[in-house]
Amino acid sequence: RSGSSVCFTLQCVTVLPVCGRNRPEGKILETVGVFEAVKQHGKYETGQLFLHSVFGYRGIVLFPWHARLYDRDITPPIKPEPPGAHGSKEVKGKTHTYYQVLIDTRDCPHISQRSQTEAVTFLANHDDSRALYAIPGLDYVSHEDILPYNSTEQVPIQHELFERFLMYNPAKSPPFTARDTLKAWQEKNHPWLELSDVHRETTENIRVTVIPFYMGMREAQNSHVYWWRYCIRLENMGSEVVQLRERHWRIFSLSGTLETVRGRGVVGREPVLSKEQPAFQYSSHVSLQAPSGHMWGTFRIERTDGSHFDVRIPPFSLESNKDDKAPPAGYTF
């Protein structure tokens, strides 16, 4: 320890105190950098290196987003909420900072608490309304999830976009500045990247956070199909080990349809949430034949004694109020 900085080493993205215990035989730890003080006020700048406080990966900040956080845990209900009801709370959003970041590809295989390496998905640039493509290793990170650090390396993060988007400038702090290609890419793809609303609710110590993204509209069989991506994080805020067993979605479309979706787990998995690995995150997609709608639902959670309880998924809007422009451009993957 030197002042407020802490030197740390990292072989993989396990929690730091147990990394040595889990280190594969024959592997040695390498110095990654020096922790910096966490920012209580203000925002992190483009080029800030960080460790993700929940998922443990190394990353670098590209640019911030100012989202509206609708937290149902801090707003009292206006009137008693009947069992199973959603929407009887008037929740006021507050501004919260998120960041578009690059994930170090060396850490991706070790992020077991994620259903996949996080990626930004887009509609494909052709007539197939179901075709999607993705840019892997892009993530959205909340301000409180960032553990900032610095490094003496000129290329401290391994990602194919690192040197396209950022350049080393030792006269700056942090010493990585945005290239014109990053600024142009952000401007061109702003409608598809923008994070605007975040929804959060906790049931029996299980917190669910939802971030929806509008992806655009395509024509299919003489009708319009509107697409959204949504990212969900489940966090166990308590000490009891639990497992997600089922999902139950209600999807309402402005066209007047109400769809019910039930199934085992999420994205083919039934994650365990424990004190050692308290969070799980995944992304999925939904399409409607209307320009807006709503989604809400529950996750069925099982305790170690076999008993169950339902965790509410906060209701969120599916809005298409952005201009439907051409699909993202700037790079082909």
Side-chain angles (χ1 to χ4, degrees), residues 191-259:
W192 324 103
L193 295 170
E194 184 179 10
L195 179 157
S196 57
D197 294 340
V198 179
H199 304 266
R200 180 184 293 166
E201 185 168 4
T202 304
T203 308
E204 297 195 34
N205 287 326
I206 305 299
R207 185 166 70 184
V208 178
T209 303
V210 184
I211 308 176
F213 300 87
Y214 176 57
M215 298 174 60
M217 180 270 292
R218 288 290 176 272
E219 293 186 9
Q221 298 177 347
N222 299 321
S223 65
H224 291 165
V225 179
Y226 298 83
W227 282 86
W228 290 265
R229 177 171 68 98
Y230 57 92
C231 179
I232 291 186
R233 184 198 291 188
L234 295 100
E235 293 177 87
N236 186 350
M237 313 301 290
S239 58
E240 186 178 17
V241 178
V242 297
Q243 186 170 11
L244 188 155
R245 289 300 192 184
E246 299 175 12
R247 68 189 186 279
H248 176 203
W249 281 107
R250 306 276 279 178
I251 306 169
F252 175 76
S253 170
L254 187 63
S255 63
T257 62
L258 179 61
E259 182 181 3

Side-chain angles (χ1 to χ4, degrees), residues 9 21 132 276:
T9 57
R21 186 167 70 240
L132 303 173
E276 291 73 28

Side-chain angles (χ1 to χ4, degrees), residues 64-246:
W65 292 111
H66 298 295
R68 298 292 292 173
L69 173 62
Y70 297 89
D71 193 338
R72 296 172 69 86
D73 299 331
I74 62 175
T75 304
I78 295 176
K79 57 184 179 180
E81 189 173 19
H86 288 79
S88 61
K89 289 183 181 180
E90 181 182 348
V91 183
K92 294 184 178 180
K94 64 177 183 178
T95 302
H96 195 76
T97 302
Y98 277 73
Y99 301 93
Q100 191 94 64
V101 307
L102 293 181
I103 302 173
D104 194 311
T105 56
R106 293 170 294 184
D107 295 342
C108 292
H110 307 289
I111 310 174
S112 60
Q113 310 99 311
R114 305 285 282 262
S115 63
Q116 67 277 316
T117 298
E118 197 59 52
V120 173
T121 50
F122 301 109
L123 295 177
N125 191 14
H126 51 71
D127 293 334
D128 185 350
S129 64
R130 287 185 168 274
L132 303 173
Y133 72 94
I135 303 176
L138 281 176
D139 201 1
Y140 293 84
V141 177
S142 177
H143 183 86
E144 63 267 22
D145 285 339
I146 284 185
L147 298 175
Y149 73 92
N150 61 62
S151 171
T152 57
E153 296 182 52
Q154 294 189 20
V155 185
I157 299 296
Q158 290 189 12
H159 190 288
E160 62 178 315
L161 294 178
F162 180 86
E163 292 184 276
R164 299 192 201 182
F165 282 170
L166 300 161
M167 60 181 154
Y168 182 67
N169 185 346
K172 298 286 186 178
S173 180
F176 305 100
T177 56
R179 294 183 184 271
D180 290 341
T181 48
L182 174 59
K183 299 172 185 176
W185 184 79
Q186 180 187 9
E187 183 178 347
K188 287 180 181 179
N189 300 315
H190 186 279
W192 324 103
L193 295 170
E194 184 179 10
L195 179 157
S196 57
D197 294 340
V198 179
H199 304 266
R200 180 184 293 166
E201 185 168 4
T202 304
T203 308
E204 297 195 34
N205 287 326
I206 305 299
R207 185 166 70 184
V208 178
T209 303
V210 184
I211 308 176
F213 300 87
Y214 176 57
M215 298 174 60
M217 180 270 292
R218 288 290 176 272
E219 293 186 9
Q221 298 177 347
N222 299 321
S223 65
H224 291 165
V225 179
Y226 298 83
W227 282 86
W228 290 265
R229 177 171 68 98
Y230 57 92
C231 179
I232 291 186
R233 184 198 291 188
L234 295 100
E235 293 177 87
N236 186 350
M237 313 301 290
S239 58
E240 186 178 17
V241 178
V242 297
Q243 186 170 11
L244 188 155
R245 289 300 192 184
E246 299 175 12

